[in-house]
Amino acid sequence: MSAPGGGVEFPDAWYLILASRLIPDLDGGFTVATLARARQLADAGREPLLLTLDPGRPENHAAHREEFARRGAIARADAMRNLFDEASSRVDGGAADWVRRAAHAGSVDESLEYRQVTDAMGRPVVDLPVIAEDPDWHTSAAPVGVRGADGSVVGVVDGFGELYRAWLDELVASLRAREDKPVVLICESRQLGELLARWRPEGVRLAHTIHIAHVLPPYTPDAPVNPLWERWFAVAGEFDAVLWPTPQQKRDVEQRFGAHSGYLVAANAAPRVLAEPAPVAGNRIVMLNRLAPVKRVDHAIRAWQSVHSVVPAATLEIWGDGVLRDDLQRLIEELGLTASVVLRGRNDAGPVVFDGAVAMVQSSAYEGQGLSTLEAMSRGCPVIAYDVPYGPQDQLEHGAGILVPDPGGRGDITGLAEAMIRMLTDRPGRDRMAAEALEVAHRFAPEAAAAALAAGIRHALR
């Protein structure tokens, strides 16, 4: 269905998009994909509320909102709201009325460390238990202390889940009081999905998006399931719709855990696609990703030794930042590649970094979908990627680049080098793949992504 003006039409409903946090230049593709969904809804006249749960300072949250708005990532700064900004009373200090109503008599657990959240004036609002070094901290029922106007603990809420649900109850009630229509909550986090799967106020429907692979090394369909996902799979059938980013992941999950009528594919969008590829300028190959272990950037650097010996004038530009930056710089120096491999740092320019590049290379151990590869293809830049779950196979099955086998999840540095040399030396083949890249990117155009999201929402409402 099309809306006036040719856009995608979304059902008439209130829309909430829930994420654990949304911070500029943090969490990579998760943040990009989440904000893109919000923009699709806003552009169709269904502007959502973007909800976050990180207990940062109010002034920091305000700065994040303003920066996203400045970049055009969100339609309006005030459409982005945070639980802890709204947990304080704006009248007399302490916790807001909705927090106090959710609380019951009790006290904090003296055996635990607590983090106190304060309002903009420094007055205590709530005390959060610190569940250190526990990936299941979000499921804890350890009491959350609720502060009164005088600063004393006036009651407790049983865990993070109860606090989150109390806020959502308040928001849903206020929206439906304004206009009685359905509320669609799009949950962007597996941990939050676990806490909300059986939360069902009247008129609320839950759509859950997926951002990452669910298996451990070697990341094959029958590989061990990541233990952090096991509890999610136990409640997956409770969601009104689950939106998988790739057909391959949906297929793997259904073959292993059984089909579900609410499982749908809703890929994340590529940026706007150029009419034609930018002309190649030099012999530049580009990477764009976090400098984190899962990205295996060292594979590309080690492969570059062979590339440099064949094409001495070629350069490898690595955009992004992360915990491995110093280690990777040392590796570049140890291999004697400082003249041809450079760590460029954070990319603030967007997909234009791929303009004129011979190819983009991705050496990840796994992906959720691979947004940087879509960014490259939208500029007509071919992609070299390991054949890992999830994304490269779906994106490159009809050309647009080279899939390098990843046997046993160990990678293939020799194969990676051969693919880069081929791109650099076979210019007609590279140009053919550049044209294919634009064709593939059109399959992931914003309109196609919005149509898939709308279909998932319609399914959830049914």
Side-chain angles (χ1 to χ4, degrees):
M1 298 177 66
S2 297
V8 174
E9 181 178 346
F10 286 86
D12 185 20
W14 296 110
Y15 289 92
L16 306 175
I17 296 181
L18 179 66
S20 50
R21 65 185 183 187
L22 290 168
I23 298 175
D25 305 312
L26 195 65
D27 300 321
F30 171 87
T31 301
V32 171
T34 299
L35 294 178
R37 263 185 281 278
R39 284 298 323 201
Q40 289 165 11
L41 286 161
D43 290 346
R46 307 291 188 198
E47 185 173 6
L49 292 179
L50 271 161
L51 310 178
T52 61
L53 302 168
D54 61 309
R57 296 290 305 156
E59 58 268 26
N60 292 337
H61 293 146
H64 299 159
R65 290 191 289 268
E66 293 296 336
E67 178 60 16
F68 281 135
R70 184 190 69 79
R71 297 181 185 183
I74 58 177
R76 295 181 298 110
D78 60 2
M80 191 170 176
R81 296 165 65 173
N82 177 271
L83 181 154
F84 294 96
D85 291 352
E86 302 188 2
S88 60
S89 170
R90 298 182 181 180
V91 178
D92 55 3
D97 288 343
W98 66 265
V99 185
R100 298 188 200 186
R101 288 195 300 270
H104 61 81
S107 59
V108 298
D109 187 337
E110 297 293 340
S111 69
L112 294 175
E113 178 185 351
Y114 275 79
R115 172 185 179 181
Q116 189 170 92
V117 177
T118 59
D119 64 15
M121 298 177 64
R123 298 174 296 189
V125 177
V126 293
D127 298 342
L128 301 178
V130 178
I131 315 297
E133 299 180 3
D134 184 353
D136 295 330
W137 63 269
H138 58 289
T139 66
S140 171
V144 174
V146 177
R147 298 278 178 163
D150 63 358
S152 64
V153 175
V154 297
V156 295
V157 174
D158 293 331
F160 296 96
E162 284 297 318
L163 181 63
Y164 300 165
R165 289 187 289 267
W167 184 46
L168 294 173
D169 284 337
E170 177 74 7
L171 290 172
V172 167
S174 66
L175 291 174
R176 300 201 74 197
R178 289 167 55 187
E179 184 176 351
D180 188 14
K181 58 185 180 181
V183 175
V184 176
L185 182 132
I186 302 173
C187 181
E188 301 279 357
S189 163
R190 172 189 52 76
Q191 295 96 326
L192 298 178
E194 294 170 12
L195 300 177
L196 298 176
R198 297 187 175 95
W199 169 78
R200 274 300 191 281
E202 183 180 356
V204 173
R205 296 292 180 268
L206 289 180
H208 199 302
T209 62
I210 304 297
H211 289 266
I212 201 67
H214 60 281
V215 289
L216 295 175
Y219 306 108
T220 55
D222 58 351
V225 174
N226 188 325
L228 299 178
W229 279 78
E230 291 177 353
R231 189 169 41 244
W232 184 90
F233 276 114
V235 298
E238 301 288 339
F239 302 115
D240 299 298
V242 176
L243 308 181
W244 301 94
T246 69
Q248 185 187 3
Q249 188 173 16
K250 174 180 176 288
R251 184 168 59 249
D252 287 353
V253 167
E254 290 184 324
Q255 289 175 351
R256 187 164 184 173
F257 298 99
H260 186 283
S261 62
Y263 286 180
L264 304 164
V265 175
N268 296 307
R272 294 289 176 187
V273 182
L274 294 183
E276 59 184 30
V280 173
N283 291 301
R284 185 170 57 100
I285 288 181
V286 174
M287 296 187 80
L288 174 59
N289 45 233
R290 291 178 293 117
L291 305 185
V294 68
K295 299 300 181 180
R296 298 192 295 194
V297 177
D298 63 302
H299 283 218
I301 294 172
R302 295 182 191 280
W304 197 256
Q305 283 185 295
S306 299
V307 176
H308 182 65
S309 67
V310 177
V311 190
T315 57
L316 176 63
E317 286 187 359
I318 303 172
W319 291 88
D321 212 340
V323 295
L324 294 184
R325 183 183 178 94
D326 292 343
D327 292 343
L328 294 172
Q329 183 60 50
R330 280 192 292 271
L331 178 62
I332 292 168
E333 294 168 1
E334 290 169 5
L335 298 179
L337 297 173
T338 54
S340 61
V341 179
V342 59
L343 301 178
R344 292 292 192 189
R346 194 179 75 188
N347 171 41
D348 294 322
V352 297
V353 298
F354 298 111
D355 288 357
V358 173
M360 178 261 201
V361 63
Q362 182 184 83
S363 51
S364 303
Y366 64 86
E367 288 286 338
Q369 179 187 350
L371 292 179
S372 61
T373 54
L374 292 179
E375 291 180 342
M377 288 189 285
S378 75
R379 314 297 292 189
C381 179
V383 171
I384 299 165
Y386 276 142
D387 188 5
V388 299
Y390 286 100
Q393 188 178 110
D394 292 310
Q395 294 170 1
L396 301 180
E397 62 181 342
H398 299 300
I402 302 172
L403 273 177
V404 179
D406 184 44
R410 297 182 301 273
D412 180 359
I413 291 174
T414 299
L416 206 61
E418 291 172 349
M420 289 192 278
I421 291 169
R422 177 181 164 190
M423 283 285 190
L424 288 162
T425 58
D426 178 10
R427 191 53 56 88
R430 181 266 169 206
D431 291 346
R432 183 190 69 253
M433 287 185 273
E436 293 168 348
L438 293 180
E439 293 176 9
V440 171
H442 277 294
R443 289 173 32 214
F444 296 90
E447 296 82 4
L453 176 60
I457 290 169
R458 286 194 294 271
H459 182 95
L461 288 168
R462 285 198 296 271

